[in-house]
């Protein structure tokens, strides 16, 4: 499946983000501003959050196609608060591509096959998440590549599933 209208919020902290209170503060800020997180990924000093909105959170500025300004007040306020924890950048125009099914748990190497299929078709992965139940694998890709990525997965991957 594909879920479009995703914005990725990256928080690059100077502190280690391993503490439960750090993640609690980040999630509290987003919840306070009615921003729902679909996926998140973290390492020692970095947290990435995929946020979905039915309305546009950003708009293109006059400076070019890669320049955006935040037009959603909730996201503006959340970013301002998140900046207390580190450098924040926002990536616009993303989508979540998900592979879902109970058979995934028994399909050894399926994640590798998914990422190989995307890579061989020059579809860049911004973020990866796998559910604890092992029935879903999701990745964040550019929204403009979403339908092509879904076709790639259908044509190249499902032949591996029994």
């Amino acid at each position: 499946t594909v879920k479009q209208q995703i914005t990725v919020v990256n928080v690059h902290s100077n502190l280690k983000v391993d503490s439960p209170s750090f993640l609690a503060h980040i999630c509290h800020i987003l919840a306070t501003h009615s921003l729902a997180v679909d996926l998140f990924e973290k390492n020692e000093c970095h947290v990435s959050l995929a946020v979905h909105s039915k309305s546009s959170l950003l708009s293109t500025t006059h400076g070019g196609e890669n320049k955006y300004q935040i037009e959603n007040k909730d996201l503006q306020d959340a970013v301002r608060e998140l900046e207390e924890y580190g450098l924040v950048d926002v990536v616009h125009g993303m989508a979540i591509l998900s592979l879902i099914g109970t058979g995934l748990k028994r399909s050894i190497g399926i994640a590798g096959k998914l990422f190989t299929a995307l890579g061989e078709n020059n579809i860049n992965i911004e973020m990866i998440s796998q559910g604890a139940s092992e029935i879903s694998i999701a990745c964040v890709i550019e929204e403009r590549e979403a339908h092509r990525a879904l076709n790639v997965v259908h044509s190249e991957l499902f032949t591996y599933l029994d």
Side-chain angles (χ1 to χ4, degrees), residues 12-108:
H12 310 274
S13 177
N14 294 330
L15 307 171
K16 288 192 174 189
V17 300
D18 287 340
S19 88
S21 63
F22 179 85
L23 286 176
H25 289 296
I26 299 297
C27 291
H28 176 74
I29 289 169
L30 294 171
T32 299
H33 297 290
S34 303
L35 297 168
V37 176
D38 284 319
L39 297 174
F40 84 93
E41 180 277 329
K42 73 173 194 72
N43 63 33
E44 275 191 18
C45 299
H46 176 91
V47 176
S48 293
L49 306 124
V51 178
H52 176 259
S53 176
K54 291 181 180 172
S55 62
S56 180
L57 297 175
L58 294 108
S59 63
T60 305
T61 66
H62 298 292
E65 68 177 51
N66 292 326
K67 305 256 185 194
Y68 296 94
Q69 67 182 22
I70 300 171
E71 64 181 39
N72 177 281
K73 182 167 178 7
D74 287 326
L75 183 58
Q76 285 175 352
D77 293 343
V79 166
R80 194 171 12 265
E81 288 182 43
L82 290 170
E83 286 173 339
E84 293 177 25
Y85 295 92
L87 179 65
V88 177
D89 66 83
V90 178
V91 183
H92 176 64
M94 306 305 280
I96 296 174
L97 174 69
S98 299
L99 187 59
I100 303 168
T102 54
L104 292 179
K105 191 171 188 172
R106 296 181 309 276
S107 299
I108 296 170

Side-chain angles (χ1 to χ4, degrees), residues 86-141:
L87 179 65
V88 177
D89 66 83
V90 178
V91 183
H92 176 64
M94 306 305 280
I96 296 174
L97 174 69
S98 299
L99 187 59
I100 303 168
T102 54
L104 292 179
K105 191 171 188 172
R106 296 181 309 276
S107 299
I108 296 170
I110 195 70
K113 291 172 184 164
L114 169 65
F115 303 139
T116 298
L118 294 174
E120 287 176 348
N121 285 276
N122 297 314
I123 299 169
N124 190 44
I125 299 171
E126 177 79 17
M127 188 174 152
I128 299 169
S129 177
Q130 180 172 357
S133 63
E134 296 185 28
I135 63 166
S136 69
I137 301 167
C139 57
V140 177
I141 60 174

